[in-house]
Coordinates of all heavy atoms in Angstrom, one line a residue:
G1404 N 99.7 74.6 99.8 CA 99.1 73.5 100.5 C 98.4 72.5 99.6 O 98.3 71.3 100.1
R1405 N 98.1 72.8 98.4 CA 97.5 71.9 97.5 C 98.5 70.8 97.1 O 98.1 69.6 96.8 CB 97.0 72.6 96.2 CG 95.8 73.4 96.4 CD 94.6 72.6 96.8 NE 94.1 71.8 95.7 CZ 93.2 72.2 94.8 NH1 92.7 73.4 94.9 NH2 92.9 71.3 93.8
I1406 N 99.8 71.1 97.1 CA 100.8 70.1 96.9 C 100.8 69.1 98.0 O 100.9 67.9 97.8 CB 102.2 70.8 96.7 CG1 102.2 71.7 95.5 CG2 103.3 69.7 96.6 CD1 103.5 72.5 95.3
I1407 N 100.7 69.6 99.2 CA 100.7 68.7 100.4 C 99.4 67.8 100.4 O 99.5 66.6 100.6 CB 100.8 69.5 101.7 CG1 102.1 70.3 101.7 CG2 100.7 68.6 102.9 CD1 102.2 71.2 102.9
T1408 N 98.2 68.4 100.2 CA 97.0 67.6 100.2 C 97.0 66.6 99.0 O 96.5 65.5 99.2 CB 95.8 68.6 100.1 OG1 95.9 69.4 98.9 CG2 95.7 69.5 101.3
A1409 N 97.5 67.0 97.9 CA 97.5 66.1 96.8 C 98.4 64.9 97.1 O 98.1 63.7 96.7 CB 98.0 66.8 95.5
G1410 N 99.5 65.1 97.8 CA 100.4 64.1 98.2 C 99.7 63.1 99.2 O 99.9 61.9 99.1
F1411 N 98.9 63.7 100.1 CA 98.2 62.8 101.0 C 97.2 62.0 100.3 O 97.0 60.8 100.5 CB 97.5 63.7 102.1 CG 98.3 64.0 103.3 CD1 98.6 65.3 103.6 CD2 98.9 63.0 104.1 CE1 99.4 65.7 104.7 CE2 99.7 63.3 105.2 CZ 99.9 64.7 105.5
N1412 N 96.4 62.6 99.4 CA 95.4 61.9 98.6 C 96.0 60.8 97.8 O 95.3 59.7 97.6 CB 94.6 62.9 97.7 CG 93.8 63.9 98.5 OD1 93.4 63.6 99.7 ND2 93.6 65.0 98.0
R1413 N 97.2 61.0 97.2 CA 97.8 60.0 96.4 C 98.7 59.1 97.2 O 99.4 58.2 96.6 CB 98.6 60.7 95.3 CG 97.7 61.5 94.3 CD 98.6 62.4 93.5 NE 97.8 63.3 92.7 CZ 98.3 64.3 92.0 NH1 99.6 64.5 92.0 NH2 97.5 65.1 91.3
Q1414 N 98.8 59.3 98.5 CA 99.7 58.5 99.3 C 101.2 58.6 98.9 O 101.9 57.6 98.8 CB 99.2 57.1 99.5 CG 97.8 57.0 100.1 CD 97.4 55.6 100.3 OE1 98.0 54.6 99.8 NE2 96.3 55.4 101.0
I1415 N 101.6 59.8 98.4 CA 103.0 60.0 98.0 C 103.7 60.8 99.1 O 103.6 62.0 99.1 CB 103.0 60.7 96.6 CG1 102.2 60.0 95.6 CG2 104.5 60.9 96.2 CD1 102.1 60.6 94.3
T1416 N 104.4 60.1 100.0 CA 105.0 60.8 101.1 C 106.0 61.8 100.6 O 106.2 62.9 101.2 CB 105.7 59.8 102.0 OG1 104.8 58.8 102.4 CG2 106.3 60.4 103.2
A1417 N 106.8 61.5 99.5 CA 107.8 62.5 99.0 C 107.2 63.8 98.6 O 107.7 64.9 98.9 CB 108.5 61.8 97.8
Q1418 N 106.0 63.8 98.0 CA 105.3 65.0 97.6 C 104.8 65.8 98.9 O 104.9 67.0 98.9 CB 104.1 64.7 96.7 CG 103.4 65.9 96.2 CD 102.3 65.6 95.2 OE1 102.3 64.5 94.6 NE2 101.4 66.5 94.9
V1419 N 104.4 65.1 99.9 CA 104.0 65.8 101.1 C 105.2 66.5 101.7 O 105.1 67.7 102.1 CB 103.4 64.8 102.1 CG1 103.1 65.5 103.5 CG2 102.1 64.1 101.6
V1420 N 106.3 65.8 101.8 CA 107.5 66.4 102.4 C 108.0 67.6 101.5 O 108.4 68.6 102.0 CB 108.6 65.4 102.6 CG1 109.9 66.0 103.1 CG2 108.2 64.3 103.5
A1421 N 107.9 67.4 100.2 CA 108.3 68.5 99.3 C 107.5 69.7 99.5 O 108.0 70.9 99.5 CB 108.3 68.0 97.9
G1422 N 106.2 69.5 99.6 CA 105.3 70.7 99.8 C 105.6 71.4 101.2 O 105.6 72.6 101.2
A1423 N 105.8 70.6 102.2 CA 106.2 71.2 103.5 C 107.5 72.0 103.4 O 107.6 73.1 104.0 CB 106.3 70.1 104.6
V1424 N 108.5 71.4 102.7 CA 109.8 72.1 102.5 C 109.6 73.4 101.8 O 110.2 74.5 102.1 CB 110.7 71.2 101.8 CG1 112.0 72.0 101.3 CG2 111.2 70.1 102.7
L1425 N 108.7 73.4 100.7 CA 108.5 74.7 100.0 C 107.9 75.8 100.9 O 108.3 76.9 100.8 CB 107.5 74.4 98.8 CG 108.2 73.6 97.7 CD1 107.1 73.2 96.7 CD2 109.2 74.4 96.9
V1426 N 106.9 75.4 101.7 CA 106.3 76.4 102.6 C 107.3 76.9 103.6 O 107.4 78.1 103.9 CB 105.1 75.7 103.3 CG1 104.5 76.7 104.4 CG2 104.0 75.3 102.3
A1427 N 108.1 76.0 104.2 CA 109.1 76.4 105.1 C 110.2 77.4 104.5 O 110.5 78.4 105.1 CB 109.8 75.2 105.7
V1428 N 110.6 77.0 103.3 CA 111.6 77.8 102.6 C 111.0 79.2 102.3 O 111.7 80.3 102.4 CB 112.1 77.1 101.4 CG1 113.0 78.1 100.5 CG2 113.0 75.9 101.7
L1429 N 109.8 79.2 101.8 CA 109.1 80.5 101.5 C 109.0 81.4 102.8 O 109.3 82.6 102.7 CB 107.7 80.2 100.9 CG 106.9 81.5 100.6 CD1 107.7 82.3 99.5 CD2 105.5 81.1 100.0
A1430 N 108.6 80.8 103.9 CA 108.5 81.6 105.1 C 109.9 82.1 105.5 O 110.0 83.3 106.0 CB 108.0 80.7 106.2
L1431 N 111.0 81.4 105.4 CA 112.3 81.8 105.7 C 112.7 83.0 104.8 O 113.4 83.9 105.2 CB 113.3 80.7 105.7 CG 113.1 79.6 106.8 CD1 114.1 78.5 106.5 CD2 113.4 80.2 108.2
L1432 N 112.4 82.8 103.5 CA 112.8 83.9 102.6 C 112.0 85.2 102.9 O 112.6 86.3 102.8 CB 112.5 83.4 101.1 CG 113.4 82.3 100.6 CD1 112.9 81.9 99.2 CD2 114.8 82.8 100.5
V1433 N 110.8 85.1 103.2 CA 110.0 86.2 103.5 C 110.5 86.9 104.8 O 110.6 88.1 104.9 CB 108.5 85.9 103.7 CG1 107.7 87.0 104.3 CG2 107.9 85.5 102.4
E1434 N 110.9 86.1 105.8 CA 111.5 86.6 107.0 C 112.8 87.4 106.7 O 113.0 88.5 107.2 CB 111.8 85.4 107.9 CG 112.6 85.8 109.2 CD 111.8 86.4 110.3 OE1 110.6 86.4 110.2 OE2 112.4 86.9 111.2
G1435 N 113.6 86.8 105.8 CA 114.9 87.5 105.5 C 114.6 88.8 104.7 O 115.3 89.8 104.9
L1436 N 113.6 88.7 103.8 CA 113.3 89.9 103.0 C 112.8 91.1 103.9 O 113.2 92.2 103.7 CB 112.2 89.6 102.0 CG 111.6 90.7 101.2 CD1 112.7 91.4 100.3 CD2 110.5 90.3 100.3
F1437 N 112.0 90.7 104.9 CA 111.5 91.8 105.8 C 112.6 92.3 106.7 O 112.5 93.5 107.1 CB 110.3 91.3 106.6 CG 109.0 91.4 105.9 CD1 108.7 90.5 104.8 CD2 108.1 92.4 106.2 CE1 107.5 90.7 104.2 CE2 106.9 92.6 105.5 CZ 106.6 91.7 104.5
V1438 N 113.6 91.5 107.0 CA 114.7 92.0 107.8 C 115.5 93.0 107.0 O 115.9 94.1 107.5 CB 115.6 90.8 108.3 CG1 116.9 91.4 108.8 CG2 114.9 90.0 109.3
V1439 N 115.7 92.7 105.7 CA 116.5 93.6 104.9 C 115.7 94.9 104.7 O 116.2 96.0 104.7 CB 116.7 92.9 103.5 CG1 117.3 93.9 102.5 CG2 117.7 91.8 103.7
L1440 N 114.3 94.8 104.5 CA 113.5 96.0 104.3 C 113.5 96.8 105.5 O 113.5 98.1 105.4 CB 112.1 95.5 103.9 CG 111.9 95.0 102.5 CD1 110.4 94.5 102.4 CD2 112.2 96.0 101.5

Side-chain angles (χ1 to χ4, degrees):
R1405 289 294 291 269
I1406 296 175
I1407 299 175
T1408 56
F1411 275 119
N1412 294 334
R1413 300 168 185 168
Q1414 298 183 350
I1415 304 175
T1416 304
Q1418 183 172 342
V1419 175
V1420 175
V1424 169
L1425 288 171
V1426 175
V1428 170
L1429 179 60
L1431 291 174
L1432 290 176
V1433 169
E1434 172 81 10
L1436 174 62
F1437 274 76
V1438 169
V1439 173
L1440 287 176

